[in-house]
Amino acid sequence: MRRKRLFTSMVSLVLIMGLLAGCSGNGNNGSSGNAPKPGEPSPSTSTGEPVKLKMWGGVPPESGPQEVINAWNKEHPDIQVEYVRFVNDDEGNLKLDTAMMTGQNVDLFINYTISQAGKRMESGLAADLSQFTDYNIDEKMGQDAKSWQIDGKYYGIPTTKSPFFVALNKDALDAAGLKVPKDWTWDELREYAKKLKSGDGYSFIQHTEPFVDPIDSILSQEGYTKPDGSSNLDHSQVKNWLEMLNVMMKEDQTTPPLGEQLTSKMPVEQEFLSGKVPMLNIGAWLLRSSNNFTDFPRDFKIAFAPVPRLTGSADEYVTRGGLGDYISINAKSKNQAAAWEFLKWYADGGMAPMAAGGRLPASKDADQDAALKSLLGDKSSTYDLDSLMYVMFDSKTPTYVRSLAQEVMDIRAQEYEKYFLGTSSVDDTIAAMVTRHNEYLKQNK
Amino acid sequence: MNNNWMRRQQLLGYIFIGPSMLGVLLFFLIPAAYSFGLMFTNYKFMNPKVEFVGLDNIVRLLQDPMFYLSLKNTLLFLLAVPVSIGLGFVVAVVLNQKIYLKKLLRGLYFMPYITSGVAVAFVWMLLFHPKQGPINGLLRSIGFDNPPGWLSTTTSSMFAIDIIWIWFLLGYNMIIYMAALQEVSPELLEAAKMDGAKRGQILRRIIWPLVSPTTFLLLITGLIMTIKTFGIIQAITQGGPGNSTTILSLFVYQNAFRYYDMGYASTISWALFIVILLITLVQWIGQKRWVHY
């Protein structure tokens, strides 16, 4: 009997231990993104234990980041950086936030929107960079950096130029006798689209990310709320935008109905690069695909036009873009000084290999020619360089960074989808947006 | 001695269920209790400021039109379950007879159930494509000039999801029914035939009542599983277009992991729990009328 009891308690003990081990095992797996990387020099070359940094970013390692940190690690045996990729969507950002909240080693992280950066700042995760006095962000990055300040302070360095533009199939434009515009309105774009349309195909498509930018261009200046604190989503230009696009979808049939685009998850880059659709509203990340001739073979030249404006006057126009890739230092990191060293080096040109994916360094001290070379690679003959230089560097149009809360962006999107799908009239749509936005404002006073 | 032995037996029993109870405790009961507590706070993930807000979240929920919309969408989604059970029964009866390629057909019907949800989602997205999809291609070729937009309109999207879900559940329902049909005693069927009952009568008056416990089981598990589902909708529409396919579980997910609004998300999940509880209770009471053991 006694032996039997001993046996049962042993068995249960083993089972419980197995269970606990199973749990902790999972925990370890969850946090391990640290497989040894090829090309990392062995730490034995340095004296003492090297500082190890982890940097979290959304770009796949092979599209630049790996090359960047390999270059750094070779020069700095005492500070070794490891790149961890998170996918820049809801799940990916949640993963990053959880990793930081639970104190896993995140030393540097890249914010892709200012609202995410703001949330992380409020939670005390993004270090206030004014504590470091040896780098003047305003001076290095120029006026556009200001839009990344949160409560007047920098909690990160905006590192890249992040232009948004309409990519054009130059060959198609030439065939139709159309010029590459340097300043245009949505009405003019609509005319272009009509002239470029052939058969059943579309002549203008939009990436869903900058889809709603025409509204933001206006509301970011005039305010998302009225002076009395209520929603400003009933601004006259909102209606103007909705009706203009709706006509393009339904009457002109030059751009796909939104319902079709969303539910078929239309691969807009592919549609454009295969030559099917001659105009695409997108941002700098197009270069990642357009430089990739293996997956996206292409036989035409790409030209670039600024994003058109809704309003009449070019002087008042503000376009989305400016700077991007806002890199913060984790306020809970033990290696903030080392992270700061790396960050400065990264911003001042260390990031050059990222240019192949469309990410040009924003710092005035970075070698722009080298970056441009890396951006175009051996493909420079397949781009219209004049218009490329214009949208990337020369355009003097002031810029804004979208800072709207995710909830409001979703409210807006859900309501305008109903309009574009024909289940709601334009006035009902705007009324619904305003009601829900006001409700949100009430909840989040 | 005997008493001692009993106690030891009991202890042994507890030891055996111990590990799984520990799992239930750690991964279900404690989180559930925690979420119940969160319901009364304004806790946002990452935000260190947590305040007790009393019943604010519940009041907000009851006044939130999005909640009622997702409740309605959930009920529309649940329609798929009885339809799929009915079809499963028919298919099982047909495949229970001597027909050609029985085993192959059985396998084919069961395939969806063991296929990865994301793969299923993408295949259906292609099939349902309003312009180039084969379904609308077929409809056009047989004379429908304006075939439905399926997933691409706010009015039809929930039904398109229903169709996918019916197809997905069908194989499972069929397999369980086939097992149940084996249990129907041949004597009863023979006796009915001798008395001159027609095929339809046998099916309706004898087989259907005899498999009613199976129907009940499928209905309860199917409804509970369906109401908790969110992966397939997240993969296909993310609740869109507009918010026409936002069901309760997706609404919870969006509030929790997109907006980090954990307090409100906990409130919605408890509302979801109440809905599941009510549906199950109604069935449990209703079963006395139509389930024959």
Coordinates of all heavy atoms in Angstrom, one line a residue, chain B residues 181-260:
Chain B
L181 N -27.1 6.7 -37.8 CA -27.9 5.9 -38.6 C -27.6 4.4 -38.4 O -28.5 3.6 -38.6 CB -27.8 6.3 -40.1 CG -28.4 7.7 -40.5 CD1 -28.1 8.0 -41.9 CD2 -29.9 7.7 -40.2
Q182 N -26.4 4.1 -38.2 CA -26.0 2.7 -37.9 C -26.7 2.2 -36.7 O -27.0 1.0 -36.6 CB -24.5 2.6 -37.7 CG -23.6 3.2 -38.7 CD -23.7 2.4 -40.0 OE1 -23.7 1.1 -40.0 NE2 -23.7 3.0 -41.1
E183 N -27.1 3.0 -35.8 CA -27.7 2.6 -34.6 C -29.2 2.3 -34.7 O -29.9 1.7 -33.9 CB -27.6 3.7 -33.5 CG -26.1 3.9 -33.1 CD -25.5 2.8 -32.3 OE1 -26.1 2.3 -31.4 OE2 -24.4 2.3 -32.7
V184 N -29.8 2.9 -35.8 CA -31.2 2.7 -36.0 C -31.5 1.2 -36.3 O -30.9 0.6 -37.3 CB -31.7 3.5 -37.2 CG1 -33.2 3.2 -37.5 CG2 -31.5 5.0 -36.9
S185 N -32.3 0.6 -35.5 CA -32.4 -0.9 -35.7 C -33.2 -1.3 -37.0 O -34.3 -0.7 -37.3 CB -33.2 -1.4 -34.4 OG -34.3 -2.1 -34.8
P186 N -32.7 -2.2 -37.7 CA -33.3 -2.6 -39.0 C -34.6 -3.2 -38.8 O -35.5 -3.1 -39.7 CB -32.3 -3.6 -39.6 CG -31.1 -3.7 -38.6 CD -31.4 -2.9 -37.4
E187 N -34.9 -3.8 -37.6 CA -36.2 -4.4 -37.5 C -37.3 -3.4 -37.6 O -38.4 -3.6 -38.2 CB -36.3 -5.0 -36.1 CG -35.5 -6.3 -35.9 CD -34.2 -6.1 -35.3 OE1 -34.0 -5.0 -34.6 OE2 -33.3 -6.9 -35.5
L188 N -37.1 -2.2 -37.0 CA -38.1 -1.1 -37.1 C -38.4 -0.8 -38.5 O -39.6 -0.6 -38.9 CB -37.6 0.1 -36.3 CG -37.7 0.0 -34.8 CD1 -37.0 1.3 -34.2 CD2 -39.1 -0.1 -34.3
L189 N -37.3 -0.6 -39.3 CA -37.5 -0.2 -40.7 C -38.3 -1.3 -41.5 O -39.2 -1.0 -42.2 CB -36.2 0.1 -41.3 CG -35.3 1.1 -40.6 CD1 -34.0 1.3 -41.3 CD2 -36.1 2.4 -40.5
E190 N -37.9 -2.5 -41.2 CA -38.5 -3.6 -41.9 C -40.0 -3.7 -41.5 O -40.9 -3.9 -42.4 CB -37.9 -5.0 -41.5 CG -37.0 -5.5 -42.7 CD -36.1 -6.6 -42.2 OE1 -36.7 -7.6 -41.6 OE2 -34.9 -6.5 -42.4
A191 N -40.3 -3.6 -40.2 CA -41.7 -3.6 -39.8 C -42.5 -2.5 -40.5 O -43.6 -2.8 -40.9 CB -41.7 -3.5 -38.3
A192 N -41.9 -1.3 -40.6 CA -42.6 -0.2 -41.2 C -42.9 -0.5 -42.6 O -44.0 -0.3 -43.2 CB -41.8 1.0 -41.1
K193 N -41.9 -1.1 -43.3 CA -42.1 -1.5 -44.7 C -43.2 -2.5 -44.9 O -44.0 -2.4 -45.8 CB -40.8 -2.1 -45.3 CG -40.0 -1.1 -46.2 CD -38.8 -1.7 -46.7 CE -37.6 -0.8 -46.5 NZ -36.3 -1.5 -46.6
M194 N -43.2 -3.5 -44.0 CA -44.3 -4.5 -44.0 C -45.6 -3.9 -43.9 O -46.6 -4.3 -44.6 CB -44.1 -5.5 -42.9 CG -42.8 -6.2 -42.9 SD -42.8 -7.6 -44.0 CE -43.6 -8.8 -43.0
D195 N -45.7 -2.8 -43.1 CA -47.0 -2.2 -42.9 C -47.3 -1.2 -44.0 O -48.3 -0.5 -43.9 CB -47.0 -1.4 -41.5 CG -47.0 -2.4 -40.4 OD1 -47.3 -3.5 -40.6 OD2 -46.6 -1.9 -39.2
G196 N -46.4 -1.1 -45.0 CA -46.7 -0.3 -46.1 C -46.3 1.2 -46.0 O -46.9 2.0 -46.7
A197 N -45.4 1.5 -45.2 CA -44.9 2.9 -45.1 C -44.1 3.2 -46.3 O -43.3 2.4 -46.8 CB -44.1 3.1 -43.8
K198 N -44.2 4.5 -46.7 CA -43.4 4.9 -47.9 C -42.1 5.4 -47.4 O -41.9 5.6 -46.2 CB -44.2 6.0 -48.6 CG -45.5 5.5 -49.3 CD -46.0 6.6 -50.3 CE -47.3 6.3 -50.8 NZ -48.4 6.6 -49.7
R199 N -41.2 5.6 -48.3 CA -39.8 6.0 -48.0 C -39.8 7.3 -47.2 O -39.1 7.4 -46.2 CB -39.0 6.2 -49.2 CG -38.3 4.9 -49.7 CD -37.4 5.3 -50.8 NE -36.4 6.3 -50.4 CZ -35.1 6.0 -50.0 NH1 -34.8 4.7 -50.0 NH2 -34.3 6.9 -49.6
G200 N -40.6 8.3 -47.7 CA -40.6 9.6 -47.0 C -41.2 9.4 -45.6 O -40.7 10.0 -44.6
Q201 N -42.2 8.6 -45.4 CA -42.8 8.4 -44.1 C -41.8 7.8 -43.2 O -41.6 8.2 -42.0 CB -44.0 7.5 -44.2 CG -45.2 8.3 -44.7 CD -46.4 7.4 -45.0 OE1 -46.2 6.3 -45.5 NE2 -47.6 7.8 -44.6
I202 N -41.1 6.8 -43.7 CA -40.1 6.1 -42.8 C -39.0 7.1 -42.3 O -38.7 7.2 -41.2 CB -39.4 5.0 -43.6 CG1 -40.4 3.8 -43.9 CG2 -38.2 4.4 -42.8 CD1 -39.8 2.7 -44.7
L203 N -38.6 7.9 -43.3 CA -37.6 8.9 -43.0 C -38.1 9.9 -41.9 O -37.4 10.2 -40.9 CB -37.2 9.7 -44.3 CG -35.8 10.2 -44.4 CD1 -34.8 9.1 -44.3 CD2 -35.7 10.9 -45.8
R204 N -39.3 10.4 -42.1 CA -39.8 11.4 -41.2 C -40.3 10.9 -39.9 O -40.0 11.5 -38.9 CB -40.9 12.2 -41.9 CG -40.9 13.7 -41.5 CD -41.8 14.5 -42.3 NE -43.2 14.1 -42.3 CZ -44.0 13.8 -43.3 NH1 -43.4 14.0 -44.5 NH2 -45.2 13.5 -43.2
R205 N -41.0 9.8 -39.9 CA -41.6 9.3 -38.7 C -40.7 8.4 -37.9 O -41.0 8.2 -36.7 CB -42.9 8.6 -39.1 CG -43.9 9.4 -39.9 CD -44.9 10.1 -39.0 NE -45.8 10.9 -39.8 CZ -46.2 12.1 -39.5 NH1 -45.8 12.6 -38.3 NH2 -47.0 12.7 -40.3
I206 N -39.8 7.7 -38.5 CA -39.0 6.7 -37.8 C -37.5 7.2 -37.6 O -37.0 7.3 -36.5 CB -39.1 5.3 -38.5 CG1 -40.5 4.9 -38.4 CG2 -38.2 4.4 -37.7 CD1 -40.8 3.6 -39.1
I207 N -36.9 7.4 -38.8 CA -35.4 7.7 -38.7 C -35.2 9.0 -38.0 O -34.4 9.1 -37.0 CB -34.8 7.7 -40.1 CG1 -35.0 6.3 -40.7 CG2 -33.3 8.0 -40.0 CD1 -34.3 6.1 -42.0
W208 N -35.9 10.1 -38.4 CA -35.6 11.4 -37.9 C -35.8 11.4 -36.3 O -34.9 11.9 -35.6 CB -36.5 12.4 -38.6 CG -36.3 13.8 -38.1 CD1 -37.2 14.6 -37.4 CD2 -35.2 14.7 -38.2 NE1 -36.7 15.8 -37.1 CE2 -35.5 15.9 -37.6 CE3 -33.9 14.6 -38.8 CZ2 -34.6 17.0 -37.6 CZ3 -33.0 15.6 -38.8 CH2 -33.4 16.8 -38.2
P209 N -37.0 10.9 -35.8 CA -37.1 10.9 -34.3 C -36.0 10.1 -33.6 O -35.5 10.4 -32.6 CB -38.5 10.3 -34.1 CG -39.2 10.4 -35.3 CD -38.2 10.4 -36.4
L210 N -35.6 9.0 -34.3 CA -34.6 8.1 -33.6 C -33.2 8.8 -33.6 O -32.5 8.5 -32.7 CB -34.5 6.8 -34.4 CG -35.6 5.8 -34.0 CD1 -35.5 4.5 -34.9 CD2 -35.6 5.4 -32.6
V211 N -32.9 9.6 -34.5 CA -31.6 10.3 -34.4 C -31.7 11.7 -33.7 O -30.7 12.4 -33.7 CB -30.9 10.5 -35.8 CG1 -30.7 9.1 -36.5 CG2 -31.8 11.4 -36.7
S212 N -32.9 12.0 -33.2 CA -33.0 13.3 -32.6 C -32.0 13.6 -31.5 O -31.6 14.8 -31.4 CB -34.5 13.5 -32.1 OG -34.7 12.6 -31.1
P213 N -31.6 12.7 -30.7 CA -30.5 13.0 -29.7 C -29.3 13.5 -30.4 O -28.6 14.4 -29.9 CB -30.2 11.7 -29.0 CG -31.5 10.9 -29.1 CD -32.0 11.3 -30.5
T214 N -28.9 12.9 -31.6 CA -27.8 13.4 -32.3 C -28.0 14.8 -32.8 O -27.1 15.6 -32.8 CB -27.6 12.4 -33.5 OG1 -27.4 11.1 -33.0 CG2 -26.3 12.8 -34.3
T215 N -29.2 15.0 -33.4 CA -29.5 16.4 -33.8 C -29.4 17.4 -32.7 O -28.8 18.5 -32.9 CB -31.0 16.4 -34.3 OG1 -31.2 15.3 -35.2 CG2 -31.3 17.7 -35.1
F216 N -29.8 17.0 -31.5 CA -29.7 17.9 -30.4 C -28.2 18.2 -30.1 O -27.8 19.4 -29.9 CB -30.4 17.3 -29.2 CG -30.4 18.1 -28.0 CD1 -31.0 19.4 -28.0 CD2 -29.8 17.7 -26.8 CE1 -31.0 20.2 -26.9 CE2 -29.8 18.4 -25.7 CZ -30.4 19.7 -25.7
L217 N -27.5 17.1 -30.1 CA -26.0 17.3 -29.8 C -25.4 18.2 -30.8 O -24.7 19.2 -30.5 CB -25.3 15.9 -29.8 CG -23.8 16.0 -29.8 CD1 -23.4 16.0 -28.3 CD2 -23.2 14.8 -30.5
L218 N -25.7 18.0 -32.1 CA -25.1 18.8 -33.2 C -25.5 20.2 -33.1 O -24.7 21.1 -33.3 CB -25.4 18.2 -34.5 CG -24.8 16.9 -34.9 CD1 -25.3 16.4 -36.2 CD2 -23.3 17.1 -35.0
L219 N -26.8 20.4 -32.7 CA -27.3 21.8 -32.6 C -26.6 22.5 -31.5 O -26.1 23.7 -31.7 CB -28.8 21.7 -32.3 CG -29.6 23.0 -32.7 CD1 -29.4 23.2 -34.2 CD2 -31.0 22.8 -32.4
I220 N -26.5 21.9 -30.3 CA -25.8 22.7 -29.2 C -24.4 22.9 -29.5 O -23.9 24.0 -29.4 CB -26.0 21.9 -27.9 CG1 -27.4 22.0 -27.4 CG2 -25.0 22.4 -26.9 CD1 -27.6 21.9 -25.9
T221 N -23.6 21.9 -29.9 CA -22.2 22.1 -30.1 C -22.0 23.0 -31.3 O -21.1 23.9 -31.3 CB -21.5 20.7 -30.3 OG1 -22.1 20.0 -31.4 CG2 -21.4 19.9 -29.1
G222 N -22.8 22.8 -32.3 CA -22.6 23.7 -33.5 C -22.9 25.1 -33.2 O -22.1 26.0 -33.6
L223 N -23.9 25.4 -32.5 CA -24.2 26.8 -32.1 C -23.1 27.4 -31.3 O -22.7 28.6 -31.5 CB -25.6 26.9 -31.4 CG -26.8 26.7 -32.3 CD1 -28.1 26.8 -31.5 CD2 -26.9 27.8 -33.4
I224 N -22.7 26.7 -30.3 CA -21.6 27.2 -29.4 C -20.3 27.5 -30.2 O -19.7 28.5 -30.1 CB -21.4 26.3 -28.2 CG1 -22.6 26.3 -27.3 CG2 -20.2 26.7 -27.4 CD1 -22.5 25.4 -26.1
M225 N -20.0 26.5 -31.0 CA -18.8 26.6 -31.8 C -18.9 27.8 -32.8 O -17.9 28.6 -33.0 CB -18.5 25.3 -32.6 CG -17.4 25.4 -33.5 SD -17.2 23.8 -34.4 CE -16.3 24.3 -35.8
T226 N -20.0 28.0 -33.4 CA -20.2 29.0 -34.4 C -20.2 30.4 -33.7 O -19.6 31.3 -34.3 CB -21.6 28.8 -35.1 OG1 -21.6 27.5 -35.7 CG2 -21.8 29.9 -36.2
I227 N -20.8 30.5 -32.6 CA -20.9 31.8 -31.9 C -19.5 32.3 -31.5 O -19.2 33.4 -31.4 CB -21.9 31.7 -30.8 CG1 -22.6 33.1 -30.6 CG2 -21.2 31.4 -29.5 CD1 -23.7 33.0 -29.7
K228 N -18.6 31.3 -31.2 CA -17.2 31.6 -30.8 C -16.3 31.9 -32.0 O -15.2 32.3 -31.8 CB -16.7 30.6 -29.9 CG -17.4 30.4 -28.6 CD -16.7 29.7 -27.5 CE -16.1 28.4 -28.0 NZ -15.6 27.5 -26.9
T229 N -16.7 31.5 -33.2 CA -15.8 31.5 -34.3 C -15.4 32.9 -34.7 O -16.3 33.8 -34.6 CB -16.5 30.9 -35.5 OG1 -16.7 29.6 -35.3 CG2 -15.6 31.1 -36.8
F230 N -14.2 33.2 -35.0 CA -13.9 34.5 -35.5 C -12.8 34.4 -36.6 O -12.7 35.3 -37.5 CB -13.6 35.4 -34.4 CG -12.1 35.8 -34.3 CD1 -11.7 37.1 -34.6 CD2 -11.2 34.9 -33.9 CE1 -10.4 37.5 -34.5 CE2 -9.9 35.3 -33.8 CZ -9.5 36.6 -34.1
G231 N -12.0 33.3 -36.6 CA -10.9 33.2 -37.5 C -11.3 33.4 -38.9 O -10.6 34.1 -39.7
I232 N -12.3 32.7 -39.3 CA -12.6 32.7 -40.8 C -13.1 34.0 -41.2 O -12.8 34.5 -42.3 CB -13.7 31.5 -41.0 CG1 -13.8 31.3 -42.5 CG2 -15.0 31.8 -40.5 CD1 -14.3 29.9 -42.9
I233 N -13.9 34.7 -40.4 CA -14.3 36.1 -40.8 C -13.2 37.1 -40.8 O -13.0 37.9 -41.6 CB -15.5 36.5 -39.9 CG1 -16.7 35.6 -40.1 CG2 -15.9 38.0 -40.2 CD1 -18.0 36.1 -39.4
Q234 N -12.3 36.9 -39.8 CA -11.2 37.8 -39.7 C -10.3 37.6 -41.0 O -9.8 38.6 -41.5 CB -10.3 37.5 -38.5 CG -9.0 38.2 -38.4 CD -9.1 39.7 -38.0 OE1 -10.2 40.2 -37.8 NE2 -8.0 40.4 -37.9
A235 N -10.2 36.4 -41.4 CA -9.4 36.1 -42.6 C -10.0 36.6 -43.9 O -9.4 37.1 -44.8 CB -9.1 34.6 -42.7
I236 N -11.4 36.6 -44.0 CA -12.0 36.9 -45.2 C -12.4 38.4 -45.3 O -12.0 39.1 -46.3 CB -13.3 36.1 -45.4 CG1 -12.9 34.6 -45.5 CG2 -14.0 36.5 -46.7 CD1 -14.1 33.7 -45.7
T237 N -13.1 38.9 -44.3 CA -13.6 40.3 -44.5 C -13.1 41.2 -43.4 O -13.4 42.4 -43.5 CB -15.1 40.3 -44.5 OG1 -15.5 39.8 -43.2 CG2 -15.7 39.4 -45.5
Q238 N -12.6 40.8 -42.3 CA -12.3 41.6 -41.2 C -13.5 42.4 -40.7 O -13.4 43.5 -40.2 CB -11.1 42.6 -41.4 CG -9.8 42.0 -41.5 CD -9.3 41.8 -42.9 OE1 -9.6 42.7 -43.7 NE2 -8.6 40.8 -43.1
G239 N -14.7 41.8 -40.8 CA -15.9 42.5 -40.4 C -16.5 43.3 -41.4 O -17.6 43.8 -41.2
G240 N -15.9 43.6 -42.5 CA -16.4 44.5 -43.5 C -17.3 43.7 -44.6 O -17.5 42.5 -44.4
P241 N -17.6 44.3 -45.7 CA -17.5 45.7 -45.9 C -18.4 46.5 -45.0 O -19.5 46.0 -44.7 CB -17.9 45.8 -47.4 CG -18.6 44.6 -47.7 CD -18.2 43.5 -46.8
G242 N -18.0 47.8 -44.8 CA -18.7 48.6 -43.7 C -18.5 47.8 -42.4 O -17.4 47.6 -42.1
N243 N -19.6 47.5 -41.8 CA -19.4 46.6 -40.6 C -20.4 45.4 -40.7 O -20.9 44.9 -39.7 CB -19.6 47.3 -39.3 CG -20.6 48.5 -39.4 OD1 -21.5 48.4 -40.2 ND2 -20.3 49.6 -38.7
S244 N -20.7 45.0 -42.0 CA -21.8 44.1 -42.2 C -21.4 42.7 -41.8 O -22.3 41.8 -41.7 CB -22.1 44.1 -43.7 OG -21.0 43.8 -44.5
T245 N -20.2 42.3 -41.5 CA -19.9 41.0 -41.0 C -19.2 41.0 -39.7 O -18.6 40.0 -39.3 CB -19.1 40.2 -42.0 OG1 -17.9 40.9 -42.3 CG2 -19.8 39.9 -43.3
T246 N -19.4 42.1 -39.0 CA -18.8 42.2 -37.6 C -19.7 41.4 -36.7 O -20.8 41.8 -36.3 CB -18.7 43.6 -37.1 OG1 -17.9 44.3 -38.1 CG2 -18.0 43.7 -35.8
I247 N -19.3 40.2 -36.3 CA -20.1 39.4 -35.3 C -19.5 39.7 -33.9 O -18.4 40.3 -33.8 CB -20.1 37.9 -35.6 CG1 -18.7 37.4 -35.6 CG2 -20.8 37.7 -37.0 CD1 -18.6 35.9 -35.7
L248 N -20.2 39.2 -32.9 CA -19.8 39.6 -31.5 C -18.3 39.2 -31.2 O -17.6 40.0 -30.7 CB -20.7 38.9 -30.5 CG -22.0 39.6 -30.2 CD1 -22.9 38.8 -29.3 CD2 -21.7 41.0 -29.5
S249 N -17.9 38.0 -31.6 CA -16.6 37.6 -31.3 C -15.5 38.5 -32.0 O -14.5 38.8 -31.4 CB -16.3 36.2 -31.7 OG -16.7 36.0 -33.0
L250 N -15.9 39.0 -33.2 CA -14.9 39.9 -33.9 C -14.9 41.2 -33.2 O -13.9 41.9 -33.1 CB -15.4 40.0 -35.3 CG -14.4 40.4 -36.3 CD1 -13.3 39.4 -36.5 CD2 -15.0 40.7 -37.7
F251 N -16.1 41.6 -32.7 CA -16.2 42.9 -32.0 C -15.4 42.9 -30.8 O -14.7 43.9 -30.5 CB -17.7 43.1 -31.7 CG -18.1 44.5 -31.3 CD1 -17.6 45.6 -31.9 CD2 -19.0 44.7 -30.2 CE1 -18.0 46.9 -31.5 CE2 -19.4 45.9 -29.8 CZ -18.9 47.0 -30.5
V252 N -15.4 41.8 -30.1 CA -14.5 41.7 -28.9 C -13.1 41.8 -29.3 O -12.3 42.6 -28.7 CB -14.7 40.3 -28.2 CG1 -13.7 40.1 -27.1 CG2 -16.1 40.1 -27.7
Y253 N -12.7 41.1 -30.3 CA -11.3 41.1 -30.8 C -10.9 42.5 -31.2 O -9.8 43.0 -30.8 CB -11.2 40.2 -32.0 CG -9.8 40.2 -32.6 CD1 -8.8 39.4 -32.1 CD2 -9.5 41.0 -33.7 CE1 -7.5 39.5 -32.7 CE2 -8.3 41.1 -34.3 CZ -7.3 40.3 -33.8 OH -6.0 40.4 -34.3
Q254 N -11.7 43.2 -31.9 CA -11.3 44.6 -32.4 C -11.1 45.5 -31.2 O -10.1 46.2 -31.1 CB -12.4 45.1 -33.3 CG -12.3 44.5 -34.7 CD -13.5 45.0 -35.5 OE1 -14.5 45.6 -35.1 NE2 -13.4 44.7 -36.8
N255 N -12.0 45.4 -30.2 CA -11.9 46.3 -29.1 C -10.7 46.0 -28.2 O -10.0 46.9 -27.7 CB -13.2 46.3 -28.2 CG -14.2 47.2 -28.8 OD1 -14.1 48.5 -28.6 ND2 -15.2 46.7 -29.4
A256 N -10.4 44.7 -28.1 CA -9.3 44.3 -27.3 C -7.9 44.5 -28.0 O -7.1 45.1 -27.4 CB -9.4 42.8 -26.9
F257 N -7.8 44.0 -29.2 CA -6.5 43.9 -29.7 C -6.2 44.9 -30.8 O -5.1 45.1 -31.3 CB -6.2 42.5 -30.2 CG -6.3 41.5 -29.2 CD1 -7.2 40.5 -29.2 CD2 -5.5 41.6 -28.0 CE1 -7.4 39.5 -28.2 CE2 -5.6 40.7 -27.0 CZ -6.6 39.6 -27.1
R258 N -7.2 45.7 -31.2 CA -7.0 46.8 -32.2 C -7.0 48.1 -31.4 O -6.1 48.9 -31.6 CB -8.0 46.7 -33.2 CG -7.8 47.6 -34.4 CD -8.7 47.3 -35.5 NE -8.7 48.3 -36.6 CZ -7.8 48.2 -37.6 NH1 -7.0 47.2 -37.7 NH2 -7.8 49.1 -38.6
Y259 N -8.0 48.3 -30.5 CA -8.1 49.5 -29.8 C -7.5 49.4 -28.4 O -7.5 50.4 -27.6 CB -9.5 50.0 -29.7 CG -10.2 50.0 -31.0 CD1 -11.6 49.6 -31.1 CD2 -9.6 50.4 -32.2 CE1 -12.2 49.6 -32.4 CE2 -10.2 50.4 -33.4 CZ -11.5 50.0 -33.5 OH -12.2 50.1 -34.7
Y260 N -7.1 48.2 -28.0 CA -6.6 48.0 -26.6 C -7.5 48.3 -25.5 O -7.1 48.6 -24.4 CB -5.2 48.7 -26.4 CG -4.1 48.2 -27.3 CD1 -2.8 48.8 -27.2 CD2 -4.2 47.1 -28.0 CE1 -1.8 48.3 -28.0 CE2 -3.2 46.6 -28.8 CZ -1.9 47.2 -28.7 OH -0.9 46.7 -29.5

